Structure formats: structure tokens, C-alpha cells
Amino acid sequence: MDRFVFLTVDGLSRGAVYAAFALALVLIWRGTRIINFAQGVMAVVTAYLAYSISNATGSYWVGFIVALASGLVLGAVVELAVMRRVEHAPPLNAVIVALGLVLFGQGVLGMIYGNQYRPAEAPFSRVAMTVAGVPVVSRYDLFVFGAVLVLMLAVAALFTRTATGLRMRAAAFEPMVSRLLGVNVARTLTLGWALAGLVGALAGLLVLPTGLGLHPTAMDLVFVSAFTAAVVGGLDSPAGAVVGGLVVGLVLSYVGGYVDSAATPLAVLGLLVAVLLVRPGGLFSGTTARRV
Amino acid sequence: MLSGIGVRFGGLVALDDVSLQVPDDTVVGIIGPNGAGKTTLFNVVCGFVRPQAGSMSWQGAPLRPKPQRLARLGIARTLQGDGLFAGLTVLENVMVGATRFARAGFGQGLLGLPGSARDERALREQALACLDQLGMADQADRMPGSLPYPLRKRVGLARALVSRPKLLLLDEPAGGLGGEDVDELAALIRGLPGQGCAVLLVEHHMDLVMQVSEHIVVLDFGRVIAAGPPDKIRDDPAVAEAYLGTEAGEASVSQP
């Protein structure tokens, strides 16, 4: 029973991060029909920045804030400088350009920081607090839940409560019609990428302390899990990304705990294949019809 | 005001030396057989198609349109079909149409500053008022897909009107509507010039065009073949020929 509680909480905590990361993928997919394979390396770049800033200032939180802000900027820069040129090209071009960005980013990070693991510090204790003798949840897990929850609420409020969010939704559905109505669609795309950059940066900062640490390829497996989460939930659905993230987190945690931790990458891929075979549009695909 | 507009797609001449004017507070109708270039003309005005020849002006200044700038210039357009955002509610659809009145930017939205929420409320109120005028306030929270087609067309109209345009481009507003709905639409269009909105109307429904237009331009194969008030157009032999493909007299004989 202890084990089950531990694995569930751990799974939900990882799942929350996957949900955030999947949300970043969904934000970009909705606007541009591009899967941003470079999302992981973008997050790693901001995490290294946080590492450098935190070391220089001695404060985790200064690095944290700088990383989020740089995620926002990095997202916008990647869209304006690179992705804009392939948005209207065949989908494969965007995939290849994104993979190119991955290699480029990992190469540059390796040159600057070296290819060894560096410690990624957690701002709170990762030791689980016990309730009635059962270790339940660590302070760091609570921080992860809180941060992801705040993020989700902020994104939801942006989309449903602000004129900018309304424009972004409209542009994602019908770019031509939106332009006619006075929406600067190109700008909403840049905003979408910027937002995804911020969301991805947060996910990276939250997940890295739970793994081996900071490394240019540290987000590769996280990307696969988050991509699976996005597909499980349906790439068009932000709510689906959240549910998908939690599902993937739990599955990985149970498989790692009850079967074998070496089997988790296989489990992710198995889940991905199963969803694609059974319900290729994702679990939440029925909710939003879309003309292509 | 358009003069000498020419558009070619490869070897196909879509518009050839087309000139027309929409004076303030009037309704101008454009008719013509399928493929005559009516929609291309709209796309030129909206900036989706760049003309190779000719020039346009709007309120005394030269017009080099970009689609996303139109609303700010006071020009709005409806689309063939409904063109609504399927994933947004009726009210949100109309709110997007009012988006030119929004001031707060993305940064404010992200930080949740009050300006952005105030903006959103203002848009919401304008959109509701507009739906109310068209008698659709009670449908505001429904999804467009759940509405019958005539109501969807009306949402599209509300979405164009909410930006308070000086010129409204209507692309087949009566398409797919029944007789009663067309009558309502006619009354609505006739009322627009009184509210300071000129109308350029492309329509196949001949009765509607004749009823509401003060001036009619007839296009055929990309050229203006006739222009004038409805009575003159009705009796113009060139118009009958363009529509029926032969002499008007012969056509009426050969068709039982």
C-alpha cells in the first residue's frame, strides 16, 4: 500500500510536468500544425541559463524567473527567425528544421558547458513527508503541483478571458477569416510560440531535478513522454494534454515501480502506438471539429 | 472606388479594366454569371489578390489593402457559406469581429493586468449588443454548428457589423436562405446606409439585388458589361445575353 501511494504521487508529479510540456506542444500545433521537436532542447537551453544565473547570483529563484522569461523570448525568436519560413511548406520541412535545431542546440550547449551531467538543484526537499507513518508527498512534489496548476490556470484565463487569447483561438481555427476580421495572424503565431517557450521552460525546470541532472540531451526522454501525452489527449486539446500528461505519468510510475524501471521507455512507446492504433485523434479529439 | 482593375491568373484573365464606385450611404450590387469575377473582385478589395493593373482608393486616399488592416480602415466582409469559427461560441465569433476595438496586448494578457480583462468585457458587451439588434442575443452561448443555416449566416453578418464598418462587402448573403429569410435580409441591408454603412453586394438572388441596390454593376468574363440603376439593368439586352448565353428572344422561345 505504501508503495502504491508513493508510486501514485510520484506518477502524478511527473505527469504534471509532462502535462505542462505537452501543453507547449499543443499550443504550437494548434496555431501552426507543426510538432515542435525542438521543444526539449529549447527547455534545456533555458535550464542551463537558469543554472548559470543561479550560480552567479546564488539564488535559485532569480535563475528560475530568468529561465521563464528567456523561454518566452526564445520561443518568439525561434518562430520569427526559423519556423516562419517553413510554416507554409510541406510538414516534413518543419520536422527536419526542428530536428536540425535540436542538433544545433545540443551541439552549442555541449561546446559551452561540456557534455557531462551537472547538478540540477531542487528548491525544496525531495524527501517525502509522512502522514500517519506513510511517506506521502515531498515538498518538491507540492511545488511542482502548485507551479503547474498556476500555469494551467493562467493559460486558461489567457485563452478564455482576454481579447488576445480570443484572437489566438480564432487564428488557430480559421487564419484567413481571422485576418479579414482584423486579427494579425502572424503575430498570434509568434505569441503562441513564445507562450509555448515559457511553458516548456517551466516544465524543464521542474523535471530536471528529478532526473540525472543537467545535460544537453536531458530532455530527450521527457520529450517522448510529453509527446505521447499530447497524442493521448489529442493534439488539438489543451485539456487533453493535461489528462494525457497525468495518464502517462501514472503509467510510467507504475511500470517503473511494479515491473522494471528499464521498461519505462518501452511502456511510453507502447502507449503511443496503442493510442495511435485505437484512437489516432486522441481521447479528446471529438470535442473540437476542425476543417482542414 | 476602383478604377481599371486588372487581374490575371496565369493566362486566365479574371478581371479586365473593371471600375466601380460605391458612394457613401448607398447599396451597390454586383451580378454576373458564375466565374464572372465577382469574388475575385472582393478578394482584390480585401487584399487577398493583388491586381496587376489599376488602382483603388478609399475615402480619398489610395488603398493598398492588407486583409488584417481592413477592419481598421472601416471595411468589413462576410463570406460565402458561413465562415464561422466552429470551435468558438456565437458570442465569441462576434467578439473576434470587434477585435479592432481591443487595446491591451499580449504582455498585459499574460500578466493578467486589469486592462486586458476590461477590454474583453467591452468586446463582450459590444458583441452582445450587436447580436441583440439582430434578435439573436439568446443564442449567444451556443456553438455555431448547432444552429440552423440561416441563423449561422446571420451570425456571420453580426460578426461583420460589430466592427461598425463604413463599407460592408456582402458575398452572397442570401445563399441557401428561404424566402422569408431573404425578405428579412433585404430589410436589414436597406437599413444599413441609414446607419452610415455603404454596401457592396455580390449575389445570385436577383430579386434581392434588384430590391436593395441603388446601382448595379454586371460582370461577365471579368469585364463590366453594364452598369446603372436596377430598372435599366433589368431591360438591358446585354445582361440577358450574358445570363442566358444567347439572344434573349431566342432563349425564351427555346425554353418551354
Side-chain angles (χ1 to χ4, degrees):
Chain A
M1 189 59 205
D2 291 10
R3 194 169 170 73
F4 178 77
V5 171
F6 168 77
L7 290 175
T8 304
V9 172
D10 187 54
L12 288 176
S13 169
R14 281 158 166 277
V17 174
Y18 296 150
F21 206 73
L23 180 66
L25 295 175
V26 167
L27 286 173
I28 289 177
W29 172 259
R30 273 162 61 101
T32 56
R33 305 275 116 182
I34 289 174
I35 301 278
N36 182 18
F37 284 95
Q39 194 80 55
V41 79
M42 285 163 65
V44 174
V45 168
T46 60
Y48 269 106
L49 207 59
Y51 170 79
S52 292
I53 302 270
S54 293
N55 278 352
T57 61
S59 160
Y60 174 86
W61 296 107
V62 174
F64 185 81
I65 298 295
V66 168
L68 293 190
S70 65
L72 199 68
V73 174
L74 186 62
V77 168
V78 166
E79 198 273 337
L80 287 172
V82 183
M83 288 301 174
R84 174 151 297 188
R85 291 162 219 291
V86 291
E87 262 156 19
H88 298 290
L92 194 58
N93 296 20
V95 172
I96 290 171
V97 166
L99 291 176
L101 277 178
V102 173
L103 295 177
F104 176 75
Q106 291 180 347
V108 169
L109 284 175
M111 284 159 64
I112 298 175
Y113 291 94
N115 276 318
Q116 70 273 36
Y117 280 94
R118 288 174 185 260
E121 271 180 75
F124 299 102
S125 162
R126 295 195 55 225
V127 178
M129 297 178 290
T130 50
V131 175
V134 180
V136 179
V137 63
S138 74
R139 288 179 199 282
Y140 187 71
D141 287 334
L142 290 178
F143 169 61
V144 169
F145 290 134
V148 172
L149 187 68
V150 168
L151 175 82
M152 297 293 173
L153 292 178
V155 169
L158 175 71
F159 276 114
T160 57
R161 301 280 148 117
T162 72
T164 306
L166 180 65
R167 280 196 289 264
M168 290 173 75
R169 277 153 71 206
F173 275 112
E174 301 271 353
M176 288 311 244
V177 178
S178 302
R179 285 182 75 191
L180 264 183
L181 296 171
V183 177
N184 188 335
V185 174
R187 192 182 299 155
T188 67
L189 295 186
T190 311
L191 292 179
W193 276 79
L195 195 58
L198 184 153
V199 173
L202 177 70
L205 290 175
L206 292 178
V207 78
L208 285 172
T210 67
L212 292 172
L214 208 47
H215 187 270
T217 62
M219 290 295 280
D220 287 4
L221 256 184
V222 177
F223 176 86
V224 175
S225 303
F227 177 61
T228 306
V231 173
V232 167
L235 276 165
D236 259 328
S237 163
V242 176
V243 175
L246 295 177
V247 168
V248 169
L250 285 174
V251 167
L252 289 194
S253 187
Y254 293 144
V255 169
Y258 290 123
V259 186
D260 185 352
S261 62
T264 52
L266 272 180
V268 183
L269 293 173
L271 186 62
L272 182 59
V273 170
V275 169
L276 287 176
L277 284 177
V278 177
R279 211 180 149 91
L283 300 177
F284 285 69
S285 59
T287 53
T288 51
R290 183 185 172 110
R291 267 185 308 174
V292 182
Chain B
M1 155 103 189
L2 311 172
S3 64
I5 295 295
V7 174
R8 337 171 114 261
F9 299 118
L12 179 80
V13 179
L15 291 174
D16 183 15
D17 196 21
V18 172
S19 301
L20 66 86
Q21 255 193 56
V22 185
D24 285 354
D25 303 341
T26 56
V27 179
V28 173
I30 303 178
I31 58 173
N34 285 326
K38 304 183 295 289
T39 296
T40 304
L41 189 68
F42 266 22
N43 285 339
V44 168
V45 177
C46 293
F48 282 129
V49 174
R50 280 234 169 281
Q52 281 90 352
S55 64
M56 291 179 273
S57 68
W58 166 241
Q59 296 186 323
L63 176 67
R64 310 202 85 225
K66 287 200 173 145
Q68 67 269 30
R69 300 265 170 78
L70 276 186
R72 242 174 297 164
L73 290 171
I75 301 176
R77 174 185 177 173
T78 67
L79 295 142
Q80 289 180 20
D82 63 12
L84 297 178
F85 303 110
L88 271 51
T89 66
V90 165
L91 182 64
E92 286 171 336
N93 262 282
V94 179
M95 284 167 68
V96 178
T99 188
R100 77 169 172 123
F101 300 120
R103 301 247 178 280
F106 174 73
Q108 287 186 31
L110 200 65
L111 299 172
L113 292 181
S116 137
R118 201 164 49 232
D119 251 7
E120 206 262 357
R121 271 200 303 280
L123 289 191
R124 193 170 286 271
E125 276 161 25
Q126 283 170 8
L128 253 182
C130 184
L131 281 172
D132 194 33
Q133 271 177 14
L134 296 178
M136 292 198 60
D138 49 335
Q139 323 274 357
D141 293 325
R142 295 181 63 174
M143 298 307 269
S146 71
L147 293 176
Y149 189 69
L151 285 186
R152 294 215 295 269
K153 292 284 278 190
R154 208 182 296 176
V155 176
L157 201 56
R159 193 174 63 180
L161 287 174
V162 75
S163 68
R164 282 183 247 132
K166 294 261 184 299
L167 173 65
L168 178 61
L169 307 173
L170 289 174
D171 198 349
E172 300 192 8
L177 297 192
E180 219 169 280
D181 295 316
V182 173
D183 291 342
E184 269 180 44
L185 180 67
L188 193 135
I189 295 175
R190 265 198 305 260
L192 288 176
Q195 300 165 27
C197 176
V199 178
L200 188 58
L201 168 71
V202 161
E203 184 52 71
H204 284 295
H205 197 288
M206 204 56 73
D207 286 348
L208 177 70
V209 180
M210 293 290 172
Q211 262 180 58
V212 301
S213 310
E214 279 130 89
H215 189 84
I216 293 178
V217 175
V218 188
L219 286 181
D220 190 26
F221 292 112
R223 298 176 146 277
V224 176
I225 57 166
D231 294 339
K232 191 181 143 211
I233 297 296
R234 209 187 311 256
D235 302 331
D236 193 318
V239 176
E241 188 180 337
Y243 267 88
L244 302 171
T246 174
E247 289 290 315
E250 276 177 43
S252 56
V253 174
S254 64
Q255 285 184 348

